[in-house]
Amino acid sequence: MTRKRTPSKDYHVDRRCLLLGSAGFATVGLGASSLGMPYIGNAAAAEPIKIGMIWAKTGSIVDQAEYLAQGGLLALEQRNNMLLGRPAEIVWLDEPNPQGAQQSAERLVGEHKVIGIVGGALSSFALAISSVAKKAKIPYIAANAATGDLTGKSCNKYTFRLQPPVDVHARILAPYCASIGKKWYLLTASYAFGQDIKKAFSEYILANGGTVVGADEVPVGTPDYSSFILKIRAAKPDVVIGGIAASDLTTFLKQWNELGMKGKIPFAEISVGNTDLWGVGPEAADGLYTITWWFKNPNNPPEEQAMAATYEKKYNRPAADKAWMGWLGMKSLLDAIEMAKATEPAAIVQALEAWKYRRGDIDVGYRAFDHQMTNRILVAGIHPKITDKWDYFDVKEQLPQTPDDIAKAFGSQADSACKMDAL
């Protein structure tokens, strides 16, 4: 049952700015030329610098995409919609499916002349956008996709990825699952993200003396999981490993609860966000997860705490992890443009390879050999009793702990399937 999305009073992005007629694309930041700042001089009359953004406006992932987009928009707003002393704007196009994501990327490059792109909410979308980035030689930040191929065998010089790949999440969560029991059932989506999860967790449990007692691949947008849940109940696994995203996870967990399975068999999944659980509701929320960011984490650096405060004031709700991912992905691109002091793609790529951002006691950045961002991941359960409609997670650990452990978890260049090309 795909949830119908109703307009929210909290959604304050001005649609007069976002929606440009039937073309369905958005341009944000046009107000920069009206700022009248004396130091701009003749820059206000210059052609605006355009950044492309591809997040879903339709389909099953639209809820999380709204946060991703708002985070990206906020990153430019924090710069007063200016780059290199010139007005800057974001052109936001839809990604209804992989083909639509590819077409949007082509439009951004061909029609809108963007100098960089951020987006790709699903792995299949990101891979499609990445292929356009490579061909067009345009910098692309994949802020949300987790498939290993993006910075593995399908890597290219123009694509950078923020989200840790599936195998990194799996190395962190799988030992927790194995400590619960060694009979696993896998329920994964039938596209790159789910297939990577199936492979990573199957390999782990078989290598550690366990068994896979069942495995199902399900299409995106599956409305009824009852037949799969009945199969899981009959197989009696110790743990269910999930690999379904966004509203599909919401649908599954609601039906899991309705069929009396909550608390009966532990459920675990990697790379889950606030929006996935907020959609489930406190009665049905259940599971053990890896998450990339949490708005209440006291270890968040001051810049992220300020971003979260600004976001909450603007939208009257906390910043979800997806808002942070959209913000940091866009921030890294904007920072790189300023570092390069140019809009030329090769210069921006080189700046992205050199870009660093301090998070606590570690420097976060994109590795030159595969353009994967290295960072920590949070392991979280669900509060036994949820009293705050925004606060579901009980964070257990922040891993890997040391820079050496981070490097080991993400793997070395020798371990990588990426054969990086040249500019």
Side-chain angles (χ1 to χ4, degrees):
M1 296 172 289
T2 301
R3 292 181 296 123
K4 293 184 179 178
R5 183 173 170 275
T6 56
S8 168
K9 291 185 291 184
D10 294 333
Y11 186 24
H12 293 165
V13 176
D14 190 341
R15 293 184 179 273
R16 290 173 299 175
C17 293
L18 294 183
L19 303 180
L20 299 183
S22 61
F25 64 87
T27 303
V28 181
L30 296 176
S33 62
S34 65
L35 293 175
M37 295 182 182
Y39 68 88
I40 295 176
N42 292 328
E47 183 72 17
I49 294 173
K50 294 183 179 181
I51 308 296
M53 192 167 70
I54 304 176
W55 299 121
K57 298 182 181 184
T58 56
S60 64
I61 57 170
V62 71
D63 286 342
Q64 65 171 252
E66 180 180 294
Y67 283 89
L68 287 158
Q70 289 170 343
L73 296 170
L74 184 59
L76 185 58
E77 288 173 14
Q78 289 177 320
R79 298 169 185 265
N80 294 319
N81 298 318
M82 299 291 292
L83 279 173
L84 303 176
R86 291 166 53 186
E89 60 190 43
I90 290 174
V91 183
W92 176 14
L93 301 188
D94 195 7
E95 49 177 2
N97 49 48
Q99 183 181 9
Q102 179 177 332
Q103 291 170 345
S104 289
E106 290 168 346
R107 285 184 59 201
L108 286 171
V109 174
E111 295 178 26
H112 300 288
K113 311 300 181 186
V114 300
I115 65 168
I117 298 172
V118 178
L122 295 181
S123 293
S124 54
F125 299 174
L127 287 167
I129 298 167
S130 179
S131 67
V132 175
K134 179 179 180 179
K135 182 178 180 181
K137 299 184 183 300
I138 196 83
Y140 165 50
I141 310 294
N144 189 52
T147 180
D149 286 352
L150 201 61
T151 49
K153 67 180 183 180
S154 299
C155 73
N156 67 74
K157 194 68 171 176
Y158 291 88
T159 295
F160 296 77
R161 191 247 296 282
L162 185 151
Q163 169 81 270
V166 165
D167 59 348
V168 176
H169 283 277
R171 288 185 195 118
I172 289 171
L173 187 62
Y176 280 86
C177 299
S179 70
I180 298 170
K182 293 192 174 182
K183 293 191 299 181
W184 292 1
Y185 197 109
L186 278 67
L187 183 71
T188 55
S190 56
Y191 69 98
F193 172 69
Q195 290 159 356
D196 283 357
I197 290 176
K198 181 178 181 179
K199 180 176 183 293
F201 278 87
S202 295
E203 289 177 351
Y204 181 90
I205 196 60
L206 294 175
N208 287 275
T211 57
V212 176
V213 298
D216 289 306
E217 292 191 18
V218 296
V220 174
T222 295
D224 186 357
Y225 286 90
S226 59
S227 62
F228 299 109
I229 293 171
L230 292 175
K231 287 175 66 177
I232 292 169
R233 186 161 65 188
K236 298 180 179 179
D238 296 320
V239 183
V240 177
I241 305 297
I244 47 180
S247 63
D248 287 334
L249 177 59
T250 301
T251 299
F252 169 79
L253 286 175
K254 285 183 174 181
Q255 294 175 10
W256 182 254
N257 179 60
E258 289 166 1
L259 291 173
M261 296 301 292
K262 178 181 175 180
K264 299 291 180 62
I265 301 174
F267 176 85
E269 180 159 342
I270 66 166
S271 190
V272 169
N274 301 107
T275 54
D276 300 321
L277 274 300
W278 289 340
V280 172
E283 295 302 319
D286 190 25
L288 180 68
Y289 304 103
T290 58
I291 58 179
T292 55
W293 187 83
W294 182 48
F295 70 96
K296 295 188 74 171
N297 184 356
N299 296 319
N300 288 338
E303 190 171 359
E304 293 179 13
Q305 293 182 26
M307 178 278 292
T310 300
Y311 182 96
E312 186 163 3
K313 183 177 180 180
K314 183 178 179 67
Y315 295 106
N316 197 31
R317 62 186 182 187
D321 62 303
K322 301 303 181 187
W324 172 81
M325 293 165 78
W327 173 82
L328 186 58
M330 184 64 73
K331 170 182 163 57
S332 68
L333 178 59
L334 302 180
D335 283 351
I337 294 167
E338 294 285 5
M339 288 169 61
K341 296 181 171 59
T343 59
E344 199 272 318
I348 299 171
V349 166
Q350 291 170 343
L352 279 165
E353 290 180 337
W355 175 82
K356 297 295 180 187
Y357 172 59
R358 192 72 177 173
R359 299 195 74 232
D361 60 343
I362 62 170
D363 285 324
V364 169
Y366 300 105
R367 301 188 299 193
F369 71 81
D370 64 354
H371 291 178
Q372 172 64 54
M373 180 183 287
T374 56
N375 204 348
R376 290 193 175 108
I377 296 172
L378 303 176
V379 179
I382 301 298
H383 289 309
K385 184 174 179 60
I386 297 171
T387 58
D388 181 340
K389 69 176 183 178
W390 303 114
D391 184 8
Y392 282 35
F393 288 125
D394 178 15
V395 175
K396 300 178 181 299
E397 286 195 83
Q398 185 167 277
L399 300 170
Q401 293 184 346
T402 70
D404 286 345
D405 288 341
I406 292 172
K408 184 178 179 180
F410 279 82
S412 67
Q413 186 170 0
D415 302 323
S416 176
C418 174
K419 306 300 180 186
M420 186 60 73
D421 48 6
L423 286 170

